[in-house]
Amino acid sequence: MESCGKEEPKGPVLHIVVVGFHHKRGCQVEFSYPPLIPAEGHDSNNLPEKWKYLPFLALPDGAHNYQEDTVYFHLPSLNEEMKCVYGVSCYRQIEAKALKVRQADVTRETVQKSVCVLSRVPLYGLIQAKLQLITHAYFEEKDFSQISILKELYDHMNGSLRGTTLEGSQVYLGLSPRDLILHFKHKVLILFKLVLLEKKVLFYVSPVNRLVGTLMTVLSLFPGMIEHGLADSSHYHCKSSISETPESLDPARISPSAGELNPKTDSKTDIIDATDRESSAFDHSDNHTSVADQSQPSASPQDRLQPHPPSHTSPDSSESDWETLDPSVLEAGEGSEGSVKHLEAESGEPITVQPKSVTGQGQLTQGLVSGLEEDQYGLPLAIFTKGYLCLPYMALQQHHLLSDVRVRGFVAGATNILFRQQRHLSDAVIDVEEARIHVDDPELRRMLSLSTADLRFSDFLLKHVTENREDVFLDGTGWEGGDEWIRAQFALYLHSLLASTLQQDNEKLLADYSSAFISAWKITHNYRVWFSNKHPAMAEITPGHPFQGQYSVADVKLRLSHSVQNSERGKKLGNAVITTSRSVVQTGKAVGQSVGGALTSAKSAMSSWFSTLAQPAVTSPAPDSTASKQ
């Protein structure tokens, strides 16, 4: 049961598939070109075992509530030539009475179908733009037996997309970081850090096109992630039987990432695999005990800033309080978190040296450990490898993956309420509609608390995006405040973070990123893989947070504003001020005009104070001039 990819020209599109809803059999494949199973023809309903969830991914839960929708999803590969199959599905429904040719199995008032493209390249938005037009034309025929248009779609896409490089704006078509920041504001950086920590992150919203768009936009902030970092993101095993025993789910049975060096023949990979086993690579719990200190490559220490003290989040705090830091933390002393521990390695030096491309830094080379196509900075990070999944849309039939011991983590999207109700299976649940991040673990909340430098960075992004929001000439495509500019800022943030970890005596540098976060990140798989190689291009990056610097009154205002706007305590404070103001007015009317005038003046002063406090900071230091000015 193999795909016929070996016989077909290696174009970007593998198959065109039509999935329909049958009144008795449910979601099923009705057409595939080329056939998914060559021996059975293009009209077979049978599927390869690895693609058993394809109908439920292409035709999502609750699709009947929408006239049309779009789904991005990932499938495991059927052969060794590829590692991941990228799916884009366009759903539509039409009234049965409108059909010119009504087949016998059409018994309902509406007909629901999806046209799906299975591709070897992650060109989600580009494929979606073409697929939507063809899907519309296919439905306009009002005769679903007319499949010639689908065969023409296959030939057209393989012709027009052949040779398309995974660079430039084509990869990010339809993914807007501007919209993401306008909706989530400072929390975008929290989402960014959640993925770096390789936690179990579940996005929730409906319809699916908004869900997958939000999730993939977050991943687009990681340099090279969509282009080259998702190759191993769908390596999961289909649940063949509910009687599987824990012994059959032994993590040792998980195949290593395709493209990695053989542990039996390469001692360098032995070290990485041994480290994986020691820290339970397939079960990353919240045990963040640091390992032994390691000497870093020598470099001049950076002592031009004070470290930012860690947050002190109470386990009893509400689920939104962790997103802020109490203003009193600014008064805490230095060194309360202690020194940051480093990755253990006997030699004290990186295990391997990544070869530098002779044709320039723009060239990619295969990572010696990750197996991914990496640039000269070692990016993309090996996040979605070794059992950490990326599932832009997860069907209800895949629910078992949330608790599968062979899945150490995931970034997944869901629309079914059952996923949201079982929050204990995820470390963080992202409510896209309300732009809220639900985290139950107080230790994880502490790791994700934004430092003052992080808040400056987030405020800097929000300021530029908001100021350019009404610019008709920008429209998300300009530079400063535009989509590419935002991605460049996150690339700078990540480059600076990585460079800071290479410095000797770097506690002060790393404190600006939150010491609790750094301690947890340094024992993740992606950091260990990156640190195991030496990347010569990192010498060009200036270490230290882009917004490092001494604290100022503006920082206090920024943090207070942040606390008032986003914490439950801040919201309660605002409600208390409003309630008190109303009571003051009523009391003034009762005791007389003179007293009422005085109380009204007091109310006005309180409202003015609260309005000033609640306003977001409109000034933010520039990345390179902060320290020098202060």
Side-chain angles (χ1 to χ4, degrees):
M1 297 171 66
E2 290 290 333
S3 169
C4 58
K6 296 182 180 180
E7 301 176 1
E8 295 291 326
K10 292 185 178 180
V13 175
L14 299 172
H15 301 278
I16 303 295
V17 180
V18 176
V19 175
F21 183 84
H22 191 274
H23 65 284
K24 290 183 178 180
R25 296 189 289 267
C27 297
Q28 65 177 11
V29 170
E30 299 178 344
F31 169 84
S32 60
Y33 181 82
L36 297 178
I37 303 177
E40 299 192 15
H42 64 75
D43 58 349
S44 172
N45 303 132
N46 295 326
L47 291 167
E49 178 64 21
K50 289 185 178 181
W51 289 0
K52 61 188 294 184
Y53 301 121
L54 172 58
F56 311 105
L57 295 170
L59 200 61
D61 294 334
H64 60 278
N65 295 321
Y66 304 94
Q67 283 297 117
E68 56 184 314
D69 204 353
T70 303
V71 188
Y72 301 160
F73 59 89
H74 293 163
L75 292 172
S77 174
L78 298 180
N79 52 53
E80 298 301 327
E81 297 180 12
M82 299 170 298
K83 300 179 182 179
C84 180
V85 175
Y86 308 93
V88 179
S89 174
C90 286
Y91 161 82
R92 288 180 67 91
Q93 63 176 327
I94 187 175
E95 292 185 356
K97 63 182 180 181
L99 295 176
K100 295 179 180 178
V101 178
R102 181 167 178 169
Q103 298 176 349
D105 58 353
V106 177
T107 60
R108 296 195 171 194
E109 295 182 358
T110 59
V111 178
Q112 304 168 6
K113 293 184 186 294
S114 288
V115 181
C116 176
V117 171
L118 302 182
S119 169
R120 65 174 76 244
V121 291
L123 295 172
Y124 306 97
L126 190 59
I127 291 176
Q128 175 187 345
K130 296 176 178 290
L131 184 57
Q132 283 179 328
L133 296 175
I134 298 301
T135 303
H136 180 77
Y138 181 54
F139 271 75
E140 284 299 309
E141 291 283 343
K142 299 178 181 179
D143 180 3
F144 295 119
S145 63
Q146 300 296 322
I147 58 176
S148 59
I149 189 174
L150 302 178
K151 296 180 179 179
E152 292 174 2
L153 172 64
Y154 175 83
D155 296 332
H156 169 72
M157 281 196 168
N158 273 325
S160 62
L161 298 180
R162 189 185 302 275
T164 301
T165 58
L166 292 178
E167 297 177 2
S169 59
Q170 288 182 323
V171 176
Y172 303 119
L173 184 63
L175 306 179
S176 175
R178 280 175 53 82
D179 295 340
L180 186 72
I181 289 178
L182 288 171
H183 186 59
F184 279 93
K185 298 181 171 58
H186 74 283
K187 299 176 186 176
V188 172
L189 185 55
I190 297 176
L191 298 176
F192 189 83
K193 286 189 168 184
L194 261 175
V195 178
L196 281 177
L197 291 178
E198 298 179 354
K199 295 300 181 181
K200 296 180 178 180
V201 184
L202 181 71
F203 286 75
Y204 176 84
V205 78
S206 187
V208 181
N209 61 354
R210 185 178 181 188
L211 172 73
V212 297
T214 301
L215 188 152
M216 296 309 299
T217 300
V218 172
L219 298 187
S220 75
L221 301 176
F222 292 84
M225 183 61 70
I226 292 184
E227 300 95 313
H228 308 288
L230 302 178
D232 295 334
S233 65
S234 61
H235 280 189
Y236 58 83
H237 293 260
C238 297
K239 188 174 182 180
S240 58
S241 172
I242 59 174
S243 61
E244 286 185 337
T245 61
E247 290 76 15
S248 69
L249 303 180
D250 185 2
R253 297 179 58 186
I254 301 296
S255 302
S257 302
E260 288 191 7
L261 298 176
N262 190 337
K264 297 182 180 180
T265 60
D266 192 283
S267 59
K268 298 172 182 177
T269 311
D270 277 333
I271 300 176
I272 296 299
D273 289 345
T275 309
D276 284 348
R277 290 191 293 270
E278 291 174 0
S279 60
S280 301
F282 288 91
D283 186 17
H284 276 202
S285 64
D286 288 331
N287 179 17
H288 296 107
T289 304
S290 300
V291 291
D293 287 335
Q294 171 187 318
S295 299
Q296 298 287 349
S298 59
S300 301
Q302 304 292 326
D303 298 324
R304 62 180 183 270
L305 74 157
Q306 295 179 355
H308 179 65
S311 62
H312 303 282
T313 308
S314 168
D316 298 328
S317 61
S318 63
E319 61 187 13
S320 295
D321 287 347
W322 65 273
E323 297 173 6
T324 70
L325 211 60
D326 192 277
S328 62
V329 78
L330 295 175
E331 302 173 2
E334 296 184 9
S336 59
E337 188 64 24
S339 60
V340 180
K341 304 297 182 179
H342 295 283
L343 173 68
E344 181 179 14
E346 296 180 1
S347 65
E349 294 292 335
I351 298 173
T352 59
V353 177
Q354 187 72 11
K356 191 167 183 177
S357 172
V358 296
T359 56
Q361 289 189 6
Q363 286 289 342
L364 301 173
T365 56
Q366 187 176 34
L368 297 178
V369 179
S370 69
L372 303 175
E373 293 294 319
E374 299 176 355
D375 64 14
Q376 297 306 306
Y377 302 100
L379 302 178
L381 294 174
I383 295 176
F384 296 101
T385 59
K386 305 289 280 187
Y388 192 77
L389 305 181
C390 175
L391 304 173
Y393 172 69
M394 177 183 285
L396 185 60
Q397 288 75 12
Q398 296 175 295
H399 183 271
H400 66 278
L401 293 176
L402 298 183
S403 55
D404 194 327
V405 297
R406 297 171 295 189
V407 175
R408 65 183 178 90
F410 52 80
V411 176
T415 59
N416 195 296
I417 190 64
L418 293 178
F419 287 96
R420 184 179 181 182
Q421 290 174 342
Q422 297 187 337
R423 284 168 49 180
H424 64 284
L425 298 178
S426 304
D427 295 318
V429 177
I430 316 303
D431 189 326
V432 178
E433 182 68 34
E434 299 181 4
R436 295 189 66 182
I437 305 174
H438 302 276
V439 175
D440 293 329
D441 181 15
E443 181 66 17
L444 180 56
R445 292 201 299 266
R446 189 171 69 92
M447 297 172 194
L448 296 172
S449 294
L450 297 182
S451 66
T452 296
D454 283 341
L455 283 177
R456 292 172 183 168
F457 173 72
S458 300
D459 191 60
F460 175 75
L461 296 178
L462 184 59
K463 170 192 171 185
H464 281 75
V465 169
T466 304
E467 285 183 350
N468 295 318
R469 188 175 185 180
E470 304 299 330
D471 190 341
V472 295
F473 297 104
L474 183 63
D475 194 26
T477 60
W479 176 241
E480 187 166 321
D483 291 337
E484 294 302 317
W485 179 86
I486 294 171
R487 293 190 182 98
Q489 303 309 309
F490 275 94
L492 172 63
Y493 182 94
L494 185 57
H495 284 151
S496 302
L497 172 60
L498 292 169
S500 299
T501 66
L502 299 178
Q503 302 303 302
Q504 192 174 20
D505 299 325
N506 55 7
E507 286 82 4
K508 291 184 178 181
L509 289 177
L510 296 178
D512 271 327
Y513 294 97
S514 172
S515 297
F517 165 76
I518 293 296
S519 298
W521 179 51
K522 283 197 169 185
I523 63 173
T524 62
H525 176 71
N526 73 82
Y527 179 78
R528 294 199 312 274
V529 170
W530 180 85
F531 189 77
S532 67
N533 284 359
K534 183 177 180 181
H535 307 284
M538 289 304 300
E540 304 172 5
I541 304 298
T542 302
H545 199 294
F547 285 83
Q548 60 189 338
Q550 303 291 337
Y551 299 129
S552 65
V553 175
D555 293 323
V556 177
K557 179 181 178 182
L558 175 60
R559 185 162 295 282
L560 290 174
S561 172
H562 171 57
S563 300
V564 169
Q565 290 179 343
N566 297 286
S567 70
E568 290 298 325
R569 286 178 293 182
K571 293 175 183 178
K572 290 178 181 178
L573 174 62
N575 293 333
V577 170
I578 295 175
T579 302
T580 303
S581 299
R582 291 174 180 171
S583 300
V584 165
V585 173
Q586 294 175 357
T587 304
K589 292 180 179 179
V591 300
Q593 186 66 30
S594 58
V595 176
L599 293 175
T600 301
S601 299
K603 172 231 176 184
S604 177
M606 292 176 65
S607 299
S608 177
W609 170 84
F610 180 71
S611 299
T612 303
L613 183 63
Q615 288 178 354
V618 295
T619 59
S620 183
D624 297 329
S625 60
T626 304
S628 61
K629 288 183 179 180
Q630 296 180 350

PDB file of all heavy atoms in Angstrom, residues 534-549:
ATOM      1  N   LYS A 534      28.892  23.631  16.571  1.00  0.00           N
ATOM      2  CA  LYS A 534      29.456  24.966  16.607  1.00  0.00           C
ATOM      3  C   LYS A 534      29.130  25.657  15.291  1.00  0.00           C
ATOM      4  O   LYS A 534      29.465  25.165  14.215  1.00  0.00           O
ATOM      5  CB  LYS A 534      30.974  24.907  16.794  1.00  0.00           C
ATOM      6  CG  LYS A 534      31.629  26.279  16.911  1.00  0.00           C
ATOM      7  CD  LYS A 534      33.122  26.149  17.158  1.00  0.00           C
ATOM      8  CE  LYS A 534      33.776  27.518  17.266  1.00  0.00           C
ATOM      9  NZ  LYS A 534      35.246  27.413  17.485  1.00  0.00           N
ATOM     10  N   HIS A 535      28.444  26.790  15.367  1.00  0.00           N
ATOM     11  CA  HIS A 535      27.983  27.505  14.177  1.00  0.00           C
ATOM     12  C   HIS A 535      28.813  28.777  14.015  1.00  0.00           C
ATOM     13  O   HIS A 535      28.612  29.760  14.757  1.00  0.00           O
ATOM     14  CB  HIS A 535      26.499  27.836  14.297  1.00  0.00           C
ATOM     15  CG  HIS A 535      25.658  26.635  14.617  1.00  0.00           C
ATOM     16  ND1 HIS A 535      25.339  25.682  13.677  1.00  0.00           N
ATOM     17  CD2 HIS A 535      25.097  26.221  15.781  1.00  0.00           C
ATOM     18  CE1 HIS A 535      24.602  24.732  14.242  1.00  0.00           C
ATOM     19  NE2 HIS A 535      24.442  25.048  15.515  1.00  0.00           N
ATOM     20  N   PRO A 536      29.742  28.784  13.088  1.00  0.00           N
ATOM     21  CA  PRO A 536      30.666  29.927  12.954  1.00  0.00           C
ATOM     22  C   PRO A 536      29.983  31.269  12.756  1.00  0.00           C
ATOM     23  O   PRO A 536      30.481  32.298  13.220  1.00  0.00           O
ATOM     24  CB  PRO A 536      31.502  29.543  11.720  1.00  0.00           C
ATOM     25  CG  PRO A 536      31.387  28.057  11.617  1.00  0.00           C
ATOM     26  CD  PRO A 536      30.023  27.723  12.119  1.00  0.00           C
ATOM     27  N   ALA A 537      28.839  31.278  12.083  1.00  0.00           N
ATOM     28  CA  ALA A 537      28.170  32.549  11.802  1.00  0.00           C
ATOM     29  C   ALA A 537      27.666  33.231  13.066  1.00  0.00           C
ATOM     30  O   ALA A 537      27.390  34.441  13.052  1.00  0.00           O
ATOM     31  CB  ALA A 537      27.007  32.326  10.832  1.00  0.00           C
ATOM     32  N   MET A 538      27.538  32.513  14.182  1.00  0.00           N
ATOM     33  CA  MET A 538      27.057  33.114  15.416  1.00  0.00           C
ATOM     34  C   MET A 538      28.032  34.159  15.953  1.00  0.00           C
ATOM     35  O   MET A 538      27.648  35.007  16.763  1.00  0.00           O
ATOM     36  CB  MET A 538      26.827  32.037  16.485  1.00  0.00           C
ATOM     37  CG  MET A 538      25.635  31.134  16.223  1.00  0.00           C
ATOM     38  SD  MET A 538      24.081  32.029  16.019  1.00  0.00           S
ATOM     39  CE  MET A 538      23.954  32.851  17.594  1.00  0.00           C
ATOM     40  N   ALA A 539      29.289  34.111  15.500  1.00  0.00           N
ATOM     41  CA  ALA A 539      30.268  35.100  15.948  1.00  0.00           C
ATOM     42  C   ALA A 539      29.899  36.506  15.488  1.00  0.00           C
ATOM     43  O   ALA A 539      30.362  37.502  16.055  1.00  0.00           O
ATOM     44  CB  ALA A 539      31.656  34.731  15.434  1.00  0.00           C
ATOM     45  N   GLU A 540      29.059  36.617  14.478  1.00  0.00           N
ATOM     46  CA  GLU A 540      28.647  37.920  13.960  1.00  0.00           C
ATOM     47  C   GLU A 540      27.500  38.537  14.743  1.00  0.00           C
ATOM     48  O   GLU A 540      27.164  39.699  14.536  1.00  0.00           O
ATOM     49  CB  GLU A 540      28.224  37.772  12.495  1.00  0.00           C
ATOM     50  CG  GLU A 540      29.302  37.161  11.602  1.00  0.00           C
ATOM     51  CD  GLU A 540      28.781  36.868  10.214  1.00  0.00           C
ATOM     52  OE1 GLU A 540      27.603  37.230   9.946  1.00  0.00           O
ATOM     53  OE2 GLU A 540      29.522  36.290   9.410  1.00  0.00           O
ATOM     54  N   ILE A 541      26.890  37.764  15.644  1.00  0.00           N
ATOM     55  CA  ILE A 541      25.718  38.233  16.388  1.00  0.00           C
ATOM     56  C   ILE A 541      26.165  38.857  17.703  1.00  0.00           C
ATOM     57  O   ILE A 541      26.974  38.286  18.436  1.00  0.00           O
ATOM     58  CB  ILE A 541      24.739  37.071  16.665  1.00  0.00           C
ATOM     59  CG1 ILE A 541      24.331  36.391  15.356  1.00  0.00           C
ATOM     60  CG2 ILE A 541      23.514  37.584  17.406  1.00  0.00           C
ATOM     61  CD1 ILE A 541      23.612  37.291  14.387  1.00  0.00           C
ATOM     62  N   THR A 542      25.623  40.026  18.002  1.00  0.00           N
ATOM     63  CA  THR A 542      25.915  40.691  19.272  1.00  0.00           C
ATOM     64  C   THR A 542      25.087  40.048  20.377  1.00  0.00           C
ATOM     65  O   THR A 542      23.853  40.003  20.285  1.00  0.00           O
ATOM     66  CB  THR A 542      25.585  42.185  19.192  1.00  0.00           C
ATOM     67  OG1 THR A 542      26.343  42.774  18.126  1.00  0.00           O
ATOM     68  CG2 THR A 542      25.915  42.877  20.506  1.00  0.00           C
ATOM     69  N   PRO A 543      25.735  39.520  21.417  1.00  0.00           N
ATOM     70  CA  PRO A 543      24.964  38.888  22.494  1.00  0.00           C
ATOM     71  C   PRO A 543      24.223  39.933  23.330  1.00  0.00           C
ATOM     72  O   PRO A 543      24.550  41.115  23.312  1.00  0.00           O
ATOM     73  CB  PRO A 543      26.044  38.167  23.305  1.00  0.00           C
ATOM     74  CG  PRO A 543      27.283  38.939  23.046  1.00  0.00           C
ATOM     75  CD  PRO A 543      27.184  39.440  21.637  1.00  0.00           C
ATOM     76  N   GLY A 544      23.262  39.448  24.082  1.00  0.00           N
ATOM     77  CA  GLY A 544      22.480  40.342  24.935  1.00  0.00           C
ATOM     78  C   GLY A 544      21.102  40.593  24.358  1.00  0.00           C
ATOM     79  O   GLY A 544      20.883  40.539  23.145  1.00  0.00           O
ATOM     80  N   HIS A 545      20.158  40.865  25.219  1.00  0.00           N
ATOM     81  CA  HIS A 545      18.782  41.145  24.803  1.00  0.00           C
ATOM     82  C   HIS A 545      18.746  42.417  23.947  1.00  0.00           C
ATOM     83  O   HIS A 545      19.407  43.407  24.268  1.00  0.00           O
ATOM     84  CB  HIS A 545      17.896  41.325  26.037  1.00  0.00           C
ATOM     85  CG  HIS A 545      16.440  41.178  25.765  1.00  0.00           C
ATOM     86  ND1 HIS A 545      15.719  42.064  24.974  1.00  0.00           N
ATOM     87  CD2 HIS A 545      15.539  40.234  26.184  1.00  0.00           C
ATOM     88  CE1 HIS A 545      14.463  41.682  24.936  1.00  0.00           C
ATOM     89  NE2 HIS A 545      14.319  40.574  25.652  1.00  0.00           N
ATOM     90  N   PRO A 546      18.006  42.415  22.834  1.00  0.00           N
ATOM     91  CA  PRO A 546      17.928  43.628  22.006  1.00  0.00           C
ATOM     92  C   PRO A 546      17.440  44.852  22.765  1.00  0.00           C
ATOM     93  O   PRO A 546      17.726  45.987  22.357  1.00  0.00           O
ATOM     94  CB  PRO A 546      16.946  43.235  20.899  1.00  0.00           C
ATOM     95  CG  PRO A 546      17.000  41.749  20.835  1.00  0.00           C
ATOM     96  CD  PRO A 546      17.249  41.301  22.240  1.00  0.00           C
ATOM     97  N   PHE A 547      16.707  44.654  23.865  1.00  0.00           N
ATOM     98  CA  PHE A 547      16.163  45.773  24.631  1.00  0.00           C
ATOM     99  C   PHE A 547      16.692  45.769  26.059  1.00  0.00           C
ATOM    100  O   PHE A 547      15.980  46.115  26.991  1.00  0.00           O
ATOM    101  CB  PHE A 547      14.634  45.727  24.615  1.00  0.00           C
ATOM    102  CG  PHE A 547      14.039  46.162  23.310  1.00  0.00           C
ATOM    103  CD1 PHE A 547      13.940  45.274  22.259  1.00  0.00           C
ATOM    104  CD2 PHE A 547      13.621  47.464  23.127  1.00  0.00           C
ATOM    105  CE1 PHE A 547      13.408  45.670  21.043  1.00  0.00           C
ATOM    106  CE2 PHE A 547      13.100  47.874  21.923  1.00  0.00           C
ATOM    107  CZ  PHE A 547      12.996  46.980  20.869  1.00  0.00           C
ATOM    108  N   GLN A 548      17.934  45.391  26.205  1.00  0.00           N
ATOM    109  CA  GLN A 548      18.538  45.413  27.531  1.00  0.00           C
ATOM    110  C   GLN A 548      18.786  46.863  27.949  1.00  0.00           C
ATOM    111  O   GLN A 548      18.824  47.772  27.132  1.00  0.00           O
ATOM    112  CB  GLN A 548      19.853  44.654  27.499  1.00  0.00           C
ATOM    113  CG  GLN A 548      20.883  45.228  26.541  1.00  0.00           C
ATOM    114  CD  GLN A 548      22.080  44.326  26.380  1.00  0.00           C
ATOM    115  OE1 GLN A 548      22.337  43.502  27.247  1.00  0.00           O
ATOM    116  NE2 GLN A 548      22.811  44.476  25.296  1.00  0.00           N
ATOM    117  N   GLY A 549      18.964  47.070  29.234  1.00  0.00           N
ATOM    118  CA  GLY A 549      19.221  48.415  29.731  1.00  0.00           C
ATOM    119  C   GLY A 549      18.784  48.574  31.168  1.00  0.00           C
ATOM    120  O   GLY A 549      18.088  47.729  31.726  1.00  0.00           O
TER     121      GLY A 549
END
